[in-house]
Amino acid sequence: MSDLLTITEELQPIVWQEDKLLLLDQTMLPASEEWVTVHDAVGAVEAIRSMRVRGAPAIGIAAAYAMAIAARSIEAPTMPAFLGALDAQAARISAARPTAVNLGWAVQRCQDAARTCNTPGQAAARILALAQAMREQDIEANKAIARNGAALMPDSGGVLTHCNTGALATAGYGTALGVIRAALESGKRPRVFHTETRPWLQGARLTAWELARLGIPATLLVDSAAGALMASGHVAAVVTGADRIAANGDTANKIGTYTLAALAAANGIPFYVAAPFSTVDLNVKSGQDIPVEERPAAEVTSLAGQRIAAEGVAVWNPVFDVTPAGLIAAIITEHGVLRPPYETQLNSLARQPEVTEVA
Ligand code: MRU
């Protein structure tokens, strides 16, 4: 363990406690650590849409627990009636945000699990066990990603990351931020740079908070400083997470990721994506088919409740972009480090047994 890391307690933002789903409210960080309780599917959709819980793996796991809550609340005389009602709740939860495939993946797994059961009670219990297993296995997958990716991190050069991909964005430990953490734990001393991540400030608010909590020194920059930083020679690697990886390796992630990948290519710096296999969507052939969420104009025109843009301005606010596979030096998964071309490797990994089994 590195002497730089001063972790006192592992951060786990999704907790099932006394039959309740508790989420660490990410809209309140870093000012205050507040937990919200999700009581039903409507509450889960609100929490996901308003980004109280965010990050591709985290919204998938929160959605699985939401399915367990929904299943418990359904009163249906027959199993077909129960499954019909569950499917309606599933459709509502899956539609909360469109880009991260983990959301639909987790909900579908819950629907599939319910279909193997004979009674609503059995199905509700099976879905809850599945949600718990997904949560535990996400943490294990992240640690494996981190181990696999640490070897790619520089011994002492700079590493730049974007958005928040730490414990907050997952069940625990994190993906790209986990890779950086594991590099430090292995004794490497990369200098950590991270972007602010406009407009929602996942980097400035959440990554900075997590890194400080871990005792990892880091330098924050505005998104538009990334090119100058890379040109200065201070960046040896860029690593980000992913919200959906298409069959050909094209990767959707937080808006600005494509910019970083293009700048990395222009500066001869390797650009890595770190993600669990639950983020791979072989049903979409390429990035062109990935739906990109657009969020309200107010996220751009206002900051911390204060209007910053001139009145009347038109806004375009896509919150993800797609990085072509050709710009990605490696995709770091729990199953190993994939190098381009990605299609065949992603396909053969998809034929492995499901990563998440019912506990
Ligand atoms: O809009 P967000 O904050 O949910 O976007 C999150 C990201 O883009 C992350 O990089 C991605 O989900 C990977 S998190 C391990």
Side-chain angles (χ1 to χ4, degrees):
M1 166 78 61
S2 155
D3 54 2
L4 278 179
L5 296 167
T6 56
I7 315 142
T8 47
E9 196 190 334
E10 287 293 343
L11 177 61
Q12 297 188 347
I14 303 168
V15 173
W16 182 261
Q17 194 176 287
E18 292 169 7
D19 274 350
K20 289 196 179 74
L21 174 60
L22 304 176
L23 302 172
L24 180 56
D25 188 345
Q26 300 189 33
T27 62
M28 304 306 287
L29 290 170
S32 60
E33 289 175 44
E34 294 179 26
W35 291 81
V36 286
T37 306
V38 173
H39 298 283
D40 50 25
V42 174
V45 169
E46 190 281 333
I48 293 169
R49 220 167 249 163
S50 66
M51 309 213 345
R52 297 185 200 285
V53 58
R54 49 142 296 283
I59 60 178
I61 291 151
Y65 280 113
M67 285 290 288
I69 296 170
R72 288 171 163 212
S73 71
I74 294 168
E75 287 174 22
T78 63
M79 199 54 192
F82 168 81
L83 290 174
L86 189 70
D87 287 349
Q89 300 285 7
R92 171 182 264 173
I93 296 166
S94 296
R97 290 188 76 189
T99 303
V101 72
N102 308 59
L103 177 57
W105 171 85
V107 170
Q108 185 62 56
R109 285 188 58 71
C110 294
Q111 290 173 274
D112 293 347
R115 286 189 156 67
T116 66
C117 298
N118 298 320
T119 66
Q122 193 188 36
R126 178 75 54 89
I127 293 171
L128 179 58
L130 181 57
Q132 306 274 37
M134 281 183 188
R135 181 178 172 282
E136 283 160 27
Q137 288 169 15
D138 183 61
I139 297 171
E140 288 315 307
N142 293 339
K143 289 183 176 167
I145 291 166
R147 279 194 300 276
N148 293 336
L152 301 175
M153 293 295 101
D155 284 323
S156 59
V159 55
L160 173 64
T161 190
H162 188 51
C163 195
N164 171 266
T165 60
L168 285 171
T170 63
Y173 202 87
T175 59
L177 211 58
V179 168
I180 293 172
R181 174 175 165 182
L184 281 145
E185 284 172 341
S186 76
K188 291 186 172 183
R189 289 291 172 270
R191 178 161 179 206
V192 182
F193 294 98
H194 66 91
T195 61
E196 181 176 53
T197 320
R198 280 280 294 155
W200 211 75
L201 303 178
Q202 287 92 335
R205 296 191 307 106
L206 309 176
T207 300
W209 181 77
E210 276 201 52
L211 288 171
R213 199 176 175 280
L214 290 168
I216 299 175
T219 302
L220 171 68
L221 50 138
V222 298
D223 299 3
S224 44
L229 182 71
M230 290 191 219
S232 75
H234 284 97
V235 180
V238 180
V239 59
T240 73
D243 283 82
R244 193 183 298 227
I245 299 173
N248 69 348
D250 289 354
T251 295
N253 190 50
K254 180 51 53 194
I255 190 75
T257 303
Y258 171 44
T259 315
L260 294 181
L263 286 166
N267 287 279
I269 298 166
F271 174 85
Y272 302 119
V273 167
F277 212 73
S278 56
T279 302
V280 175
D281 185 358
L282 296 177
N283 294 319
V284 302
K285 278 196 165 62
S286 77
Q288 279 180 339
D289 303 324
I290 298 176
V292 171
E293 178 183 7
E294 293 191 22
R295 290 185 63 90
E299 291 185 354
V300 176
T301 56
S302 296
L303 197 59
Q306 290 290 312
R307 179 142 190 128
I308 54 168
E311 292 292 342
V313 70
V315 170
W316 180 50
N317 185 23
V319 297
F320 300 99
D321 58 23
V322 176
T323 299
L327 293 176
I328 302 170
I331 298 177
I332 306 161
T333 76
E334 66 271 43
H335 303 307
V337 174
L338 314 186
R339 297 283 185 176
Y342 297 110
E343 191 137 16
T344 313
Q345 296 166 82
L346 289 172
N347 252 304
S348 65
L349 284 172
R351 280 196 295 274
Q352 291 201 348
E354 264 296 348
V355 179
T356 303
E357 304 289 350
V358 176

PDB file of all heavy atoms in Angstrom, residues 160-163 195 221 223 225-227 230 238-240 253-267 269 271 321 323 327:
ATOM      1  N   LEU A 160      -3.825  12.076 -17.173  1.00  0.00           N
ATOM      2  CA  LEU A 160      -4.980  12.978 -17.225  1.00  0.00           C
ATOM      3  C   LEU A 160      -6.260  12.163 -17.291  1.00  0.00           C
ATOM      4  O   LEU A 160      -6.352  11.203 -18.067  1.00  0.00           O
ATOM      5  CB  LEU A 160      -4.866  13.872 -18.471  1.00  0.00           C
ATOM      6  CG  LEU A 160      -6.062  14.782 -18.793  1.00  0.00           C
ATOM      7  CD1 LEU A 160      -6.297  15.828 -17.705  1.00  0.00           C
ATOM      8  CD2 LEU A 160      -5.847  15.480 -20.148  1.00  0.00           C
ATOM      9  N   THR A 161      -7.253  12.538 -16.470  1.00  0.00           N
ATOM     10  CA  THR A 161      -8.546  11.871 -16.539  1.00  0.00           C
ATOM     11  C   THR A 161      -9.665  12.911 -16.620  1.00  0.00           C
ATOM     12  O   THR A 161      -9.427  14.113 -16.442  1.00  0.00           O
ATOM     13  CB  THR A 161      -8.734  10.872 -15.377  1.00  0.00           C
ATOM     14  OG1 THR A 161      -9.906  10.091 -15.633  1.00  0.00           O
ATOM     15  CG2 THR A 161      -8.872  11.575 -14.030  1.00  0.00           C
ATOM     16  N   HIS A 162     -10.867  12.431 -16.889  1.00  0.00           N
ATOM     17  CA  HIS A 162     -11.998  13.308 -17.204  1.00  0.00           C
ATOM     18  C   HIS A 162     -13.234  12.809 -16.464  1.00  0.00           C
ATOM     19  O   HIS A 162     -13.367  11.613 -16.217  1.00  0.00           O
ATOM     20  CB  HIS A 162     -12.217  13.229 -18.717  1.00  0.00           C
ATOM     21  CG  HIS A 162     -13.223  14.196 -19.281  1.00  0.00           C
ATOM     22  ND1 HIS A 162     -13.201  15.546 -19.026  1.00  0.00           N
ATOM     23  CD2 HIS A 162     -14.271  13.992 -20.127  1.00  0.00           C
ATOM     24  CE1 HIS A 162     -14.187  16.140 -19.691  1.00  0.00           C
ATOM     25  NE2 HIS A 162     -14.858  15.208 -20.355  1.00  0.00           N
ATOM     26  N   CYS A 163     -14.129  13.714 -16.145  1.00  0.00           N
ATOM     27  CA  CYS A 163     -15.392  13.378 -15.486  1.00  0.00           C
ATOM     28  C   CYS A 163     -15.108  12.753 -14.117  1.00  0.00           C
ATOM     29  O   CYS A 163     -14.061  13.006 -13.517  1.00  0.00           O
ATOM     30  CB  CYS A 163     -16.233  12.448 -16.361  1.00  0.00           C
ATOM     31  SG  CYS A 163     -17.959  12.317 -15.827  1.00  0.00           S
ATOM     32  N   THR A 195      -9.806  17.036 -15.313  1.00  0.00           N
ATOM     33  CA  THR A 195     -10.555  18.179 -15.836  1.00  0.00           C
ATOM     34  C   THR A 195     -11.694  18.547 -14.885  1.00  0.00           C
ATOM     35  O   THR A 195     -12.161  17.741 -14.089  1.00  0.00           O
ATOM     36  CB  THR A 195     -11.191  17.845 -17.187  1.00  0.00           C
ATOM     37  OG1 THR A 195     -12.083  16.747 -16.961  1.00  0.00           O
ATOM     38  CG2 THR A 195     -10.160  17.486 -18.234  1.00  0.00           C
ATOM     39  N   LEU A 221      -7.818  21.208 -13.897  1.00  0.00           N
ATOM     40  CA  LEU A 221      -7.714  22.184 -14.979  1.00  0.00           C
ATOM     41  C   LEU A 221      -9.070  22.355 -15.649  1.00  0.00           C
ATOM     42  O   LEU A 221      -9.902  21.437 -15.603  1.00  0.00           O
ATOM     43  CB  LEU A 221      -6.669  21.757 -16.020  1.00  0.00           C
ATOM     44  CG  LEU A 221      -6.733  20.347 -16.584  1.00  0.00           C
ATOM     45  CD1 LEU A 221      -6.474  20.361 -18.077  1.00  0.00           C
ATOM     46  CD2 LEU A 221      -5.680  19.476 -15.906  1.00  0.00           C
ATOM     47  N   ASP A 223     -11.529  22.345 -18.787  1.00  0.00           N
ATOM     48  CA  ASP A 223     -11.517  21.387 -19.895  1.00  0.00           C
ATOM     49  C   ASP A 223     -10.671  21.891 -21.062  1.00  0.00           C
ATOM     50  O   ASP A 223      -9.936  21.137 -21.692  1.00  0.00           O
ATOM     51  CB  ASP A 223     -12.945  21.127 -20.376  1.00  0.00           C
ATOM     52  CG  ASP A 223     -13.829  20.526 -19.282  1.00  0.00           C
ATOM     53  OD1 ASP A 223     -13.354  20.370 -18.138  1.00  0.00           O
ATOM     54  OD2 ASP A 223     -14.990  20.222 -19.578  1.00  0.00           O
ATOM     55  N   ALA A 225      -8.086  23.597 -21.135  1.00  0.00           N
ATOM     56  CA  ALA A 225      -6.629  23.658 -20.911  1.00  0.00           C
ATOM     57  C   ALA A 225      -5.949  22.334 -21.254  1.00  0.00           C
ATOM     58  O   ALA A 225      -4.712  22.248 -21.234  1.00  0.00           O
ATOM     59  CB  ALA A 225      -6.329  24.033 -19.464  1.00  0.00           C
ATOM     60  N   ALA A 226      -6.752  21.312 -21.568  1.00  0.00           N
ATOM     61  CA  ALA A 226      -6.166  19.971 -21.766  1.00  0.00           C
ATOM     62  C   ALA A 226      -5.166  19.953 -22.921  1.00  0.00           C
ATOM     63  O   ALA A 226      -4.114  19.305 -22.829  1.00  0.00           O
ATOM     64  CB  ALA A 226      -7.276  18.952 -21.996  1.00  0.00           C
ATOM     65  N   GLY A 227      -5.478  20.656 -24.012  1.00  0.00           N
ATOM     66  CA  GLY A 227      -4.567  20.664 -25.164  1.00  0.00           C
ATOM     67  C   GLY A 227      -3.227  21.285 -24.802  1.00  0.00           C
ATOM     68  O   GLY A 227      -2.158  20.742 -25.124  1.00  0.00           O
ATOM     69  N   MET A 230      -1.219  18.907 -22.639  1.00  0.00           N
ATOM     70  CA  MET A 230      -0.607  17.817 -23.399  1.00  0.00           C
ATOM     71  C   MET A 230       0.574  18.333 -24.222  1.00  0.00           C
ATOM     72  O   MET A 230       1.626  17.695 -24.276  1.00  0.00           O
ATOM     73  CB  MET A 230      -1.647  17.157 -24.304  1.00  0.00           C
ATOM     74  CG  MET A 230      -2.684  16.353 -23.539  1.00  0.00           C
ATOM     75  SD  MET A 230      -3.669  15.339 -24.668  1.00  0.00           S
ATOM     76  CE  MET A 230      -5.274  15.479 -23.937  1.00  0.00           C
ATOM     77  N   VAL A 238      -3.622   9.298 -21.020  1.00  0.00           N
ATOM     78  CA  VAL A 238      -4.969   9.786 -20.695  1.00  0.00           C
ATOM     79  C   VAL A 238      -5.823   8.551 -20.443  1.00  0.00           C
ATOM     80  O   VAL A 238      -5.743   7.577 -21.209  1.00  0.00           O
ATOM     81  CB  VAL A 238      -5.568  10.617 -21.857  1.00  0.00           C
ATOM     82  CG1 VAL A 238      -6.965  11.116 -21.495  1.00  0.00           C
ATOM     83  CG2 VAL A 238      -4.658  11.782 -22.222  1.00  0.00           C
ATOM     84  N   VAL A 239      -6.611   8.549 -19.383  1.00  0.00           N
ATOM     85  CA  VAL A 239      -7.495   7.405 -19.123  1.00  0.00           C
ATOM     86  C   VAL A 239      -8.861   7.927 -18.686  1.00  0.00           C
ATOM     87  O   VAL A 239      -8.961   8.808 -17.835  1.00  0.00           O
ATOM     88  CB  VAL A 239      -6.883   6.415 -18.095  1.00  0.00           C
ATOM     89  CG1 VAL A 239      -6.580   7.064 -16.753  1.00  0.00           C
ATOM     90  CG2 VAL A 239      -7.766   5.187 -17.922  1.00  0.00           C
ATOM     91  N   THR A 240      -9.899   7.400 -19.337  1.00  0.00           N
ATOM     92  CA  THR A 240     -11.274   7.798 -19.004  1.00  0.00           C
ATOM     93  C   THR A 240     -12.133   6.540 -18.834  1.00  0.00           C
ATOM     94  O   THR A 240     -11.695   5.431 -19.146  1.00  0.00           O
ATOM     95  CB  THR A 240     -11.922   8.653 -20.110  1.00  0.00           C
ATOM     96  OG1 THR A 240     -12.242   7.807 -21.225  1.00  0.00           O
ATOM     97  CG2 THR A 240     -11.025   9.797 -20.561  1.00  0.00           C
ATOM     98  N   ASN A 253     -18.659   8.450 -23.974  1.00  0.00           N
ATOM     99  CA  ASN A 253     -18.320   8.839 -22.597  1.00  0.00           C
ATOM    100  C   ASN A 253     -18.630  10.333 -22.456  1.00  0.00           C
ATOM    101  O   ASN A 253     -19.068  10.998 -23.406  1.00  0.00           O
ATOM    102  CB  ASN A 253     -16.851   8.522 -22.291  1.00  0.00           C
ATOM    103  CG  ASN A 253     -16.535   8.676 -20.819  1.00  0.00           C
ATOM    104  OD1 ASN A 253     -17.242   8.136 -19.962  1.00  0.00           O
ATOM    105  ND2 ASN A 253     -15.499   9.416 -20.483  1.00  0.00           N
ATOM    106  N   LYS A 254     -18.384  10.850 -21.288  1.00  0.00           N
ATOM    107  CA  LYS A 254     -18.697  12.238 -20.966  1.00  0.00           C
ATOM    108  C   LYS A 254     -18.234  13.211 -22.054  1.00  0.00           C
ATOM    109  O   LYS A 254     -17.136  13.056 -22.589  1.00  0.00           O
ATOM    110  CB  LYS A 254     -18.036  12.566 -19.625  1.00  0.00           C
ATOM    111  CG  LYS A 254     -18.240  13.965 -19.098  1.00  0.00           C
ATOM    112  CD  LYS A 254     -19.692  14.399 -19.066  1.00  0.00           C
ATOM    113  CE  LYS A 254     -20.603  13.446 -18.336  1.00  0.00           C
ATOM    114  NZ  LYS A 254     -22.050  13.699 -18.603  1.00  0.00           N
ATOM    115  N   ILE A 255     -19.066  14.180 -22.347  1.00  0.00           N
ATOM    116  CA  ILE A 255     -18.736  15.179 -23.370  1.00  0.00           C
ATOM    117  C   ILE A 255     -17.339  15.767 -23.096  1.00  0.00           C
ATOM    118  O   ILE A 255     -17.022  16.106 -21.952  1.00  0.00           O
ATOM    119  CB  ILE A 255     -19.824  16.291 -23.426  1.00  0.00           C
ATOM    120  CG1 ILE A 255     -19.640  17.193 -24.638  1.00  0.00           C
ATOM    121  CG2 ILE A 255     -19.909  17.106 -22.141  1.00  0.00           C
ATOM    122  CD1 ILE A 255     -20.066  16.559 -25.928  1.00  0.00           C
ATOM    123  N   GLY A 256     -16.553  15.810 -24.160  1.00  0.00           N
ATOM    124  CA  GLY A 256     -15.172  16.276 -24.014  1.00  0.00           C
ATOM    125  C   GLY A 256     -14.162  15.141 -24.092  1.00  0.00           C
ATOM    126  O   GLY A 256     -12.969  15.380 -24.293  1.00  0.00           O
ATOM    127  N   THR A 257     -14.646  13.899 -23.993  1.00  0.00           N
ATOM    128  CA  THR A 257     -13.734  12.747 -24.067  1.00  0.00           C
ATOM    129  C   THR A 257     -13.130  12.645 -25.465  1.00  0.00           C
ATOM    130  O   THR A 257     -11.923  12.398 -25.621  1.00  0.00           O
ATOM    131  CB  THR A 257     -14.480  11.449 -23.699  1.00  0.00           C
ATOM    132  OG1 THR A 257     -15.032  11.603 -22.394  1.00  0.00           O
ATOM    133  CG2 THR A 257     -13.551  10.247 -23.716  1.00  0.00           C
ATOM    134  N   TYR A 258     -13.966  12.831 -26.478  1.00  0.00           N
ATOM    135  CA  TYR A 258     -13.470  12.772 -27.868  1.00  0.00           C
ATOM    136  C   TYR A 258     -12.387  13.836 -28.093  1.00  0.00           C
ATOM    137  O   TYR A 258     -11.361  13.585 -28.717  1.00  0.00           O
ATOM    138  CB  TYR A 258     -14.661  12.941 -28.817  1.00  0.00           C
ATOM    139  CG  TYR A 258     -14.307  13.122 -30.277  1.00  0.00           C
ATOM    140  CD1 TYR A 258     -13.333  12.329 -30.891  1.00  0.00           C
ATOM    141  CD2 TYR A 258     -14.967  14.079 -31.054  1.00  0.00           C
ATOM    142  CE1 TYR A 258     -13.015  12.504 -32.237  1.00  0.00           C
ATOM    143  CE2 TYR A 258     -14.656  14.246 -32.390  1.00  0.00           C
ATOM    144  CZ  TYR A 258     -13.680  13.461 -32.972  1.00  0.00           C
ATOM    145  OH  TYR A 258     -13.363  13.637 -34.299  1.00  0.00           O
ATOM    146  N   THR A 259     -12.632  15.016 -27.538  1.00  0.00           N
ATOM    147  CA  THR A 259     -11.633  16.097 -27.654  1.00  0.00           C
ATOM    148  C   THR A 259     -10.307  15.643 -27.050  1.00  0.00           C
ATOM    149  O   THR A 259      -9.233  15.856 -27.639  1.00  0.00           O
ATOM    150  CB  THR A 259     -12.133  17.351 -26.905  1.00  0.00           C
ATOM    151  OG1 THR A 259     -13.503  17.556 -27.229  1.00  0.00           O
ATOM    152  CG2 THR A 259     -11.315  18.568 -27.235  1.00  0.00           C
ATOM    153  N   LEU A 260     -10.368  15.034 -25.877  1.00  0.00           N
ATOM    154  CA  LEU A 260      -9.140  14.576 -25.209  1.00  0.00           C
ATOM    155  C   LEU A 260      -8.452  13.499 -26.050  1.00  0.00           C
ATOM    156  O   LEU A 260      -7.218  13.496 -26.175  1.00  0.00           O
ATOM    157  CB  LEU A 260      -9.449  14.011 -23.821  1.00  0.00           C
ATOM    158  CG  LEU A 260      -9.985  14.988 -22.781  1.00  0.00           C
ATOM    159  CD1 LEU A 260     -10.215  14.273 -21.454  1.00  0.00           C
ATOM    160  CD2 LEU A 260      -9.037  16.161 -22.588  1.00  0.00           C
ATOM    161  N   ALA A 261      -9.238  12.583 -26.621  1.00  0.00           N
ATOM    162  CA  ALA A 261      -8.644  11.501 -27.420  1.00  0.00           C
ATOM    163  C   ALA A 261      -7.973  12.067 -28.674  1.00  0.00           C
ATOM    164  O   ALA A 261      -6.869  11.634 -29.048  1.00  0.00           O
ATOM    165  CB  ALA A 261      -9.718  10.491 -27.799  1.00  0.00           C
ATOM    166  N   ALA A 262      -8.631  13.037 -29.302  1.00  0.00           N
ATOM    167  CA  ALA A 262      -8.049  13.643 -30.516  1.00  0.00           C
ATOM    168  C   ALA A 262      -6.773  14.416 -30.166  1.00  0.00           C
ATOM    169  O   ALA A 262      -5.772  14.350 -30.888  1.00  0.00           O
ATOM    170  CB  ALA A 262      -9.077  14.562 -31.171  1.00  0.00           C
ATOM    171  N   LEU A 263      -6.808  15.128 -29.047  1.00  0.00           N
ATOM    172  CA  LEU A 263      -5.619  15.871 -28.615  1.00  0.00           C
ATOM    173  C   LEU A 263      -4.496  14.917 -28.219  1.00  0.00           C
ATOM    174  O   LEU A 263      -3.319  15.186 -28.478  1.00  0.00           O
ATOM    175  CB  LEU A 263      -5.970  16.771 -27.425  1.00  0.00           C
ATOM    176  CG  LEU A 263      -6.788  18.014 -27.760  1.00  0.00           C
ATOM    177  CD1 LEU A 263      -7.358  18.641 -26.500  1.00  0.00           C
ATOM    178  CD2 LEU A 263      -5.922  19.018 -28.524  1.00  0.00           C
ATOM    179  N   ALA A 264      -4.853  13.801 -27.594  1.00  0.00           N
ATOM    180  CA  ALA A 264      -3.841  12.805 -27.221  1.00  0.00           C
ATOM    181  C   ALA A 264      -3.170  12.275 -28.489  1.00  0.00           C
ATOM    182  O   ALA A 264      -1.938  12.176 -28.564  1.00  0.00           O
ATOM    183  CB  ALA A 264      -4.476  11.677 -26.416  1.00  0.00           C
ATOM    184  N   ALA A 265      -3.982  11.966 -29.509  1.00  0.00           N
ATOM    185  CA  ALA A 265      -3.421  11.459 -30.769  1.00  0.00           C
ATOM    186  C   ALA A 265      -2.492  12.499 -31.389  1.00  0.00           C
ATOM    187  O   ALA A 265      -1.387  12.177 -31.854  1.00  0.00           O
ATOM    188  CB  ALA A 265      -4.549  11.091 -31.729  1.00  0.00           C
ATOM    189  N   ALA A 266      -2.919  13.758 -31.358  1.00  0.00           N
ATOM    190  CA  ALA A 266      -2.113  14.826 -31.969  1.00  0.00           C
ATOM    191  C   ALA A 266      -0.789  15.015 -31.235  1.00  0.00           C
ATOM    192  O   ALA A 266       0.184  15.500 -31.819  1.00  0.00           O
ATOM    193  CB  ALA A 266      -2.911  16.130 -31.956  1.00  0.00           C
ATOM    194  N   ASN A 267      -0.766  14.615 -29.976  1.00  0.00           N
ATOM    195  CA  ASN A 267       0.453  14.802 -29.169  1.00  0.00           C
ATOM    196  C   ASN A 267       1.208  13.497 -28.908  1.00  0.00           C
ATOM    197  O   ASN A 267       2.136  13.466 -28.096  1.00  0.00           O
ATOM    198  CB  ASN A 267       0.091  15.473 -27.839  1.00  0.00           C
ATOM    199  CG  ASN A 267      -0.250  16.948 -28.020  1.00  0.00           C
ATOM    200  OD1 ASN A 267       0.641  17.786 -28.119  1.00  0.00           O
ATOM    201  ND2 ASN A 267      -1.541  17.261 -28.124  1.00  0.00           N
ATOM    202  N   ILE A 269       0.208  10.756 -27.403  1.00  0.00           N
ATOM    203  CA  ILE A 269      -0.017  10.254 -26.036  1.00  0.00           C
ATOM    204  C   ILE A 269      -1.054   9.131 -26.096  1.00  0.00           C
ATOM    205  O   ILE A 269      -2.087   9.280 -26.747  1.00  0.00           O
ATOM    206  CB  ILE A 269      -0.545  11.409 -25.137  1.00  0.00           C
ATOM    207  CG1 ILE A 269       0.490  12.535 -25.051  1.00  0.00           C
ATOM    208  CG2 ILE A 269      -0.924  10.907 -23.748  1.00  0.00           C
ATOM    209  CD1 ILE A 269      -0.066  13.834 -24.486  1.00  0.00           C
ATOM    210  N   PHE A 271      -4.249   7.018 -25.340  1.00  0.00           N
ATOM    211  CA  PHE A 271      -5.558   7.305 -24.760  1.00  0.00           C
ATOM    212  C   PHE A 271      -6.224   5.967 -24.413  1.00  0.00           C
ATOM    213  O   PHE A 271      -6.439   5.132 -25.298  1.00  0.00           O
ATOM    214  CB  PHE A 271      -6.423   8.086 -25.756  1.00  0.00           C
ATOM    215  CG  PHE A 271      -7.833   8.277 -25.276  1.00  0.00           C
ATOM    216  CD1 PHE A 271      -8.163   9.340 -24.437  1.00  0.00           C
ATOM    217  CD2 PHE A 271      -8.832   7.382 -25.629  1.00  0.00           C
ATOM    218  CE1 PHE A 271      -9.461   9.489 -23.960  1.00  0.00           C
ATOM    219  CE2 PHE A 271     -10.129   7.533 -25.164  1.00  0.00           C
ATOM    220  CZ  PHE A 271     -10.438   8.585 -24.336  1.00  0.00           C
ATOM    221  N   ASP A 321     -20.106  12.218 -25.765  1.00  0.00           N
ATOM    222  CA  ASP A 321     -19.676  12.191 -27.160  1.00  0.00           C
ATOM    223  C   ASP A 321     -19.094  10.811 -27.437  1.00  0.00           C
ATOM    224  O   ASP A 321     -18.959   9.981 -26.527  1.00  0.00           O
ATOM    225  CB  ASP A 321     -18.701  13.333 -27.497  1.00  0.00           C
ATOM    226  CG  ASP A 321     -17.442  13.345 -26.647  1.00  0.00           C
ATOM    227  OD1 ASP A 321     -17.063  12.288 -26.109  1.00  0.00           O
ATOM    228  OD2 ASP A 321     -16.814  14.425 -26.529  1.00  0.00           O
ATOM    229  N   THR A 323     -16.005   8.578 -28.993  1.00  0.00           N
ATOM    230  CA  THR A 323     -14.611   8.524 -29.428  1.00  0.00           C
ATOM    231  C   THR A 323     -14.452   7.333 -30.367  1.00  0.00           C
ATOM    232  O   THR A 323     -14.750   6.193 -29.979  1.00  0.00           O
ATOM    233  CB  THR A 323     -13.678   8.364 -28.203  1.00  0.00           C
ATOM    234  OG1 THR A 323     -13.849   9.504 -27.357  1.00  0.00           O
ATOM    235  CG2 THR A 323     -12.226   8.253 -28.627  1.00  0.00           C
ATOM    236  N   LEU A 327      -8.945   5.911 -32.125  1.00  0.00           N
ATOM    237  CA  LEU A 327      -8.197   6.810 -31.239  1.00  0.00           C
ATOM    238  C   LEU A 327      -7.903   6.171 -29.878  1.00  0.00           C
ATOM    239  O   LEU A 327      -7.259   6.792 -29.033  1.00  0.00           O
ATOM    240  CB  LEU A 327      -8.983   8.113 -31.020  1.00  0.00           C
ATOM    241  CG  LEU A 327      -9.154   9.034 -32.242  1.00  0.00           C
ATOM    242  CD1 LEU A 327     -10.028  10.236 -31.879  1.00  0.00           C
ATOM    243  CD2 LEU A 327      -7.799   9.498 -32.765  1.00  0.00           C
TER     244      LEU A 327
END
